PDB file of all heavy atoms in Angstrom:
ATOM      1  N   LEU A 256      18.580  19.394  17.922  1.00  0.00           N
ATOM      2  CA  LEU A 256      18.007  20.628  18.564  1.00  0.00           C
ATOM      3  C   LEU A 256      16.642  20.465  18.803  1.00  0.00           C
ATOM      4  O   LEU A 256      15.882  19.695  18.307  1.00  0.00           O
ATOM      5  CB  LEU A 256      18.263  21.725  17.535  1.00  0.00           C
ATOM      6  CG  LEU A 256      19.685  22.184  17.314  1.00  0.00           C
ATOM      7  CD1 LEU A 256      19.608  23.269  16.200  1.00  0.00           C
ATOM      8  CD2 LEU A 256      20.428  22.528  18.474  1.00  0.00           C
ATOM      9  N   PRO A 257      16.112  21.257  19.741  1.00  0.00           N
ATOM     10  CA  PRO A 257      14.619  21.337  20.077  1.00  0.00           C
ATOM     11  C   PRO A 257      13.833  21.755  18.814  1.00  0.00           C
ATOM     12  O   PRO A 257      14.491  22.630  17.983  1.00  0.00           O
ATOM     13  CB  PRO A 257      14.452  22.369  21.174  1.00  0.00           C
ATOM     14  CG  PRO A 257      15.815  22.447  21.741  1.00  0.00           C
ATOM     15  CD  PRO A 257      16.845  22.135  20.691  1.00  0.00           C
ATOM     16  N   LEU A 258      12.572  21.225  18.656  1.00  0.00           N
ATOM     17  CA  LEU A 258      11.810  21.638  17.440  1.00  0.00           C
ATOM     18  C   LEU A 258      11.602  23.041  17.281  1.00  0.00           C
ATOM     19  O   LEU A 258      11.680  23.600  16.100  1.00  0.00           O
ATOM     20  CB  LEU A 258      10.486  20.859  17.420  1.00  0.00           C
ATOM     21  CG  LEU A 258      10.445  19.326  17.491  1.00  0.00           C
ATOM     22  CD1 LEU A 258       8.949  18.873  17.468  1.00  0.00           C
ATOM     23  CD2 LEU A 258      11.236  18.831  16.281  1.00  0.00           C
ATOM     24  N   PHE A 259      11.529  23.781  18.346  1.00  0.00           N
ATOM     25  CA  PHE A 259      11.362  25.280  18.254  1.00  0.00           C
ATOM     26  C   PHE A 259      12.522  25.902  17.655  1.00  0.00           C
ATOM     27  O   PHE A 259      12.304  26.783  16.730  1.00  0.00           O
ATOM     28  CB  PHE A 259      11.079  25.841  19.789  1.00  0.00           C
ATOM     29  CG  PHE A 259      10.847  27.289  19.632  1.00  0.00           C
ATOM     30  CD1 PHE A 259       9.733  27.971  19.317  1.00  0.00           C
ATOM     31  CD2 PHE A 259      11.947  28.127  19.932  1.00  0.00           C
ATOM     32  CE1 PHE A 259       9.616  29.273  19.411  1.00  0.00           C
ATOM     33  CE2 PHE A 259      11.864  29.495  20.031  1.00  0.00           C
ATOM     34  CZ  PHE A 259      10.530  30.108  19.729  1.00  0.00           C
ATOM     35  N   ASP A 260      13.678  25.506  17.962  1.00  0.00           N
ATOM     36  CA  ASP A 260      14.859  26.080  17.406  1.00  0.00           C
ATOM     37  C   ASP A 260      14.892  25.823  15.924  1.00  0.00           C
ATOM     38  O   ASP A 260      15.330  26.677  15.139  1.00  0.00           O
ATOM     39  CB  ASP A 260      16.118  25.550  18.154  1.00  0.00           C
ATOM     40  CG  ASP A 260      16.140  26.087  19.553  1.00  0.00           C
ATOM     41  OD1 ASP A 260      15.490  27.115  19.884  1.00  0.00           O
ATOM     42  OD2 ASP A 260      17.035  25.636  20.342  1.00  0.00           O
ATOM     43  N   ILE A 261      14.696  24.506  15.548  1.00  0.00           N
ATOM     44  CA  ILE A 261      14.706  24.217  14.124  1.00  0.00           C
ATOM     45  C   ILE A 261      13.753  25.020  13.358  1.00  0.00           C
ATOM     46  O   ILE A 261      14.026  25.677  12.237  1.00  0.00           O
ATOM     47  CB  ILE A 261      14.377  22.793  13.884  1.00  0.00           C
ATOM     48  CG1 ILE A 261      15.400  21.906  14.555  1.00  0.00           C
ATOM     49  CG2 ILE A 261      14.298  22.377  12.303  1.00  0.00           C
ATOM     50  CD1 ILE A 261      15.110  20.392  14.574  1.00  0.00           C
ATOM     51  N   ILE A 262      12.599  25.367  13.858  1.00  0.00           N
ATOM     52  CA  ILE A 262      11.606  26.107  13.142  1.00  0.00           C
ATOM     53  C   ILE A 262      11.826  27.553  13.150  1.00  0.00           C
ATOM     54  O   ILE A 262      11.816  28.195  12.123  1.00  0.00           O
ATOM     55  CB  ILE A 262      10.132  25.798  13.703  1.00  0.00           C
ATOM     56  CG1 ILE A 262       9.729  24.366  13.467  1.00  0.00           C
ATOM     57  CG2 ILE A 262       9.096  26.799  13.111  1.00  0.00           C
ATOM     58  CD1 ILE A 262       8.554  23.977  14.206  1.00  0.00           C
ATOM     59  N   ASN A 263      12.306  27.993  14.382  1.00  0.00           N
ATOM     60  CA  ASN A 263      12.528  29.403  14.516  1.00  0.00           C
ATOM     61  C   ASN A 263      13.699  29.961  13.672  1.00  0.00           C
ATOM     62  O   ASN A 263      13.870  31.148  13.277  1.00  0.00           O
ATOM     63  CB  ASN A 263      12.723  29.817  15.996  1.00  0.00           C
ATOM     64  CG  ASN A 263      12.604  31.222  16.358  1.00  0.00           C
ATOM     65  OD1 ASN A 263      11.711  31.992  15.783  1.00  0.00           O
ATOM     66  ND2 ASN A 263      13.556  31.719  17.188  1.00  0.00           N
ATOM     67  N   GLN A 264      14.649  29.113  13.564  1.00  0.00           N
ATOM     68  CA  GLN A 264      15.927  29.487  12.919  1.00  0.00           C
ATOM     69  C   GLN A 264      15.995  29.069  11.389  1.00  0.00           C
ATOM     70  O   GLN A 264      16.979  29.207  10.787  1.00  0.00           O
ATOM     71  CB  GLN A 264      17.180  28.770  13.710  1.00  0.00           C
ATOM     72  CG  GLN A 264      17.328  29.297  15.047  1.00  0.00           C
ATOM     73  CD  GLN A 264      18.486  28.598  15.751  1.00  0.00           C
ATOM     74  OE1 GLN A 264      19.452  28.216  15.107  1.00  0.00           O
ATOM     75  NE2 GLN A 264      18.343  28.337  17.076  1.00  0.00           N
ATOM     76  N   ASN A 265      14.739  28.671  10.921  1.00  0.00           N
ATOM     77  CA  ASN A 265      14.650  28.213   9.584  1.00  0.00           C
ATOM     78  C   ASN A 265      15.696  27.242   9.051  1.00  0.00           C
ATOM     79  O   ASN A 265      16.519  27.515   8.060  1.00  0.00           O
ATOM     80  CB  ASN A 265      14.672  29.427   8.540  1.00  0.00           C
ATOM     81  CG  ASN A 265      13.461  30.395   8.998  1.00  0.00           C
ATOM     82  OD1 ASN A 265      12.406  29.960   9.129  1.00  0.00           O
ATOM     83  ND2 ASN A 265      13.691  31.678   8.924  1.00  0.00           N
ATOM     84  N   LEU A 266      15.894  26.206   9.778  1.00  0.00           N
ATOM     85  CA  LEU A 266      16.998  25.212   9.642  1.00  0.00           C
ATOM     86  C   LEU A 266      16.572  24.098   8.591  1.00  0.00           C
ATOM     87  O   LEU A 266      17.418  23.240   8.236  1.00  0.00           O
ATOM     88  CB  LEU A 266      17.392  24.578  10.913  1.00  0.00           C
ATOM     89  CG  LEU A 266      17.915  25.537  11.928  1.00  0.00           C
ATOM     90  CD1 LEU A 266      18.419  24.738  13.162  1.00  0.00           C
ATOM     91  CD2 LEU A 266      19.081  26.298  11.355  1.00  0.00           C
ATOM     92  N   ARG A 267      15.291  24.220   8.040  1.00  0.00           N
ATOM     93  CA  ARG A 267      15.040  23.368   6.803  1.00  0.00           C
ATOM     94  C   ARG A 267      15.224  24.100   5.595  1.00  0.00           C
ATOM     95  O   ARG A 267      14.967  25.277   5.390  1.00  0.00           O
ATOM     96  CB  ARG A 267      13.559  22.932   6.971  1.00  0.00           C
ATOM     97  CG  ARG A 267      13.275  21.808   7.991  1.00  0.00           C
ATOM     98  CD  ARG A 267      11.781  21.211   7.987  1.00  0.00           C
ATOM     99  NE  ARG A 267      11.540  20.613   6.756  1.00  0.00           N
ATOM    100  CZ  ARG A 267      11.721  19.207   6.620  1.00  0.00           C
ATOM    101  NH1 ARG A 267      12.334  18.564   7.514  1.00  0.00           N
ATOM    102  NH2 ARG A 267      11.433  18.728   5.540  1.00  0.00           N
ATOM    103  N   GLY A 268      15.669  23.378   4.570  1.00  0.00           N
ATOM    104  CA  GLY A 268      15.918  23.910   3.332  1.00  0.00           C
ATOM    105  C   GLY A 268      15.263  23.125   2.235  1.00  0.00           C
ATOM    106  O   GLY A 268      14.706  22.061   2.396  1.00  0.00           O
ATOM    107  N   VAL A 269      15.475  23.574   1.013  1.00  0.00           N
ATOM    108  CA  VAL A 269      14.945  22.842  -0.154  1.00  0.00           C
ATOM    109  C   VAL A 269      15.960  22.532  -1.261  1.00  0.00           C
ATOM    110  O   VAL A 269      16.832  23.516  -1.483  1.00  0.00           O
ATOM    111  CB  VAL A 269      13.809  23.644  -0.891  1.00  0.00           C
ATOM    112  CG1 VAL A 269      13.227  22.916  -2.026  1.00  0.00           C
ATOM    113  CG2 VAL A 269      12.625  23.693   0.116  1.00  0.00           C
ATOM    114  N   THR A 270      16.092  21.345  -1.678  1.00  0.00           N
ATOM    115  CA  THR A 270      17.049  21.002  -2.730  1.00  0.00           C
ATOM    116  C   THR A 270      16.300  20.464  -3.905  1.00  0.00           C
ATOM    117  O   THR A 270      15.192  19.689  -3.736  1.00  0.00           O
ATOM    118  CB  THR A 270      17.955  19.857  -2.295  1.00  0.00           C
ATOM    119  OG1 THR A 270      18.770  20.434  -1.229  1.00  0.00           O
ATOM    120  CG2 THR A 270      18.775  19.383  -3.415  1.00  0.00           C
ATOM    121  N   MET A 271      16.670  20.763  -5.154  1.00  0.00           N
ATOM    122  CA  MET A 271      16.073  20.232  -6.419  1.00  0.00           C
ATOM    123  C   MET A 271      17.119  19.148  -6.954  1.00  0.00           C
ATOM    124  O   MET A 271      18.336  19.543  -7.050  1.00  0.00           O
ATOM    125  CB  MET A 271      15.818  21.334  -7.659  1.00  0.00           C
ATOM    126  CG  MET A 271      15.060  20.692  -8.784  1.00  0.00           C
ATOM    127  SD  MET A 271      14.746  21.989  -9.926  1.00  0.00           S
ATOM    128  CE  MET A 271      16.295  22.474 -10.559  1.00  0.00           C
ATOM    129  N   ILE A 272      16.632  17.919  -7.076  1.00  0.00           N
ATOM    130  CA  ILE A 272      17.491  16.930  -7.647  1.00  0.00           C
ATOM    131  C   ILE A 272      17.186  16.892  -9.167  1.00  0.00           C
ATOM    132  O   ILE A 272      16.090  16.867  -9.613  1.00  0.00           O
ATOM    133  CB  ILE A 272      17.083  15.542  -7.023  1.00  0.00           C
ATOM    134  CG1 ILE A 272      17.177  15.626  -5.457  1.00  0.00           C
ATOM    135  CG2 ILE A 272      17.998  14.543  -7.482  1.00  0.00           C
ATOM    136  CD1 ILE A 272      16.446  14.522  -4.792  1.00  0.00           C
ATOM    137  N   GLU A 273      18.442  16.746  -9.930  1.00  0.00           N
ATOM    138  CA  GLU A 273      18.254  16.581 -11.316  1.00  0.00           C
ATOM    139  C   GLU A 273      18.899  15.167 -11.670  1.00  0.00           C
ATOM    140  O   GLU A 273      20.147  14.979 -11.395  1.00  0.00           O
ATOM    141  CB  GLU A 273      19.035  17.696 -12.062  1.00  0.00           C
ATOM    142  CG  GLU A 273      19.114  17.610 -13.583  1.00  0.00           C
ATOM    143  CD  GLU A 273      20.044  18.578 -14.233  1.00  0.00           C
ATOM    144  OE1 GLU A 273      21.146  18.664 -13.967  1.00  0.00           O
ATOM    145  OE2 GLU A 273      19.430  19.567 -14.828  1.00  0.00           O
ATOM    146  N   PHE A 274      18.020  14.317 -12.224  1.00  0.00           N
ATOM    147  CA  PHE A 274      18.576  13.009 -12.493  1.00  0.00           C
ATOM    148  C   PHE A 274      18.513  12.873 -14.017  1.00  0.00           C
ATOM    149  O   PHE A 274      17.562  13.118 -14.663  1.00  0.00           O
ATOM    150  CB  PHE A 274      17.563  11.931 -11.853  1.00  0.00           C
ATOM    151  CG  PHE A 274      17.977  10.521 -12.282  1.00  0.00           C
ATOM    152  CD1 PHE A 274      19.000   9.957 -11.554  1.00  0.00           C
ATOM    153  CD2 PHE A 274      17.246   9.853 -13.247  1.00  0.00           C
ATOM    154  CE1 PHE A 274      19.351   8.561 -11.862  1.00  0.00           C
ATOM    155  CE2 PHE A 274      17.530   8.650 -13.482  1.00  0.00           C
ATOM    156  CZ  PHE A 274      18.472   7.915 -12.878  1.00  0.00           C
ATOM    157  N   ASP A 275      19.633  12.341 -14.626  1.00  0.00           N
ATOM    158  CA  ASP A 275      19.673  12.135 -16.061  1.00  0.00           C
ATOM    159  C   ASP A 275      19.703  10.603 -16.266  1.00  0.00           C
ATOM    160  O   ASP A 275      20.580   9.968 -15.882  1.00  0.00           O
ATOM    161  CB  ASP A 275      20.987  12.737 -16.590  1.00  0.00           C
ATOM    162  CG  ASP A 275      21.023  12.726 -18.129  1.00  0.00           C
ATOM    163  OD1 ASP A 275      20.285  11.865 -18.733  1.00  0.00           O
ATOM    164  OD2 ASP A 275      21.755  13.420 -18.669  1.00  0.00           O
ATOM    165  N   PRO A 276      18.588  10.072 -16.904  1.00  0.00           N
ATOM    166  CA  PRO A 276      18.369   8.653 -17.146  1.00  0.00           C
ATOM    167  C   PRO A 276      19.453   8.064 -18.018  1.00  0.00           C
ATOM    168  O   PRO A 276      19.794   6.831 -18.023  1.00  0.00           O
ATOM    169  CB  PRO A 276      16.982   8.400 -17.655  1.00  0.00           C
ATOM    170  CG  PRO A 276      16.326   9.801 -17.315  1.00  0.00           C
ATOM    171  CD  PRO A 276      17.311  10.751 -17.279  1.00  0.00           C
TER     172      PRO A 276
END
Side-chain angles (χ1 to χ4, degrees):
L256 297 176
L258 296 184
F259 177 81
D260 290 345
I261 295 175
I262 297 171
N263 193 47
Q264 297 177 35
N265 296 319
L266 297 182
R267 283 185 69 87
V269 173
T270 295
M271 185 175 70
I272 305 168
E273 179 188 65
F274 175 83
D275 191 338

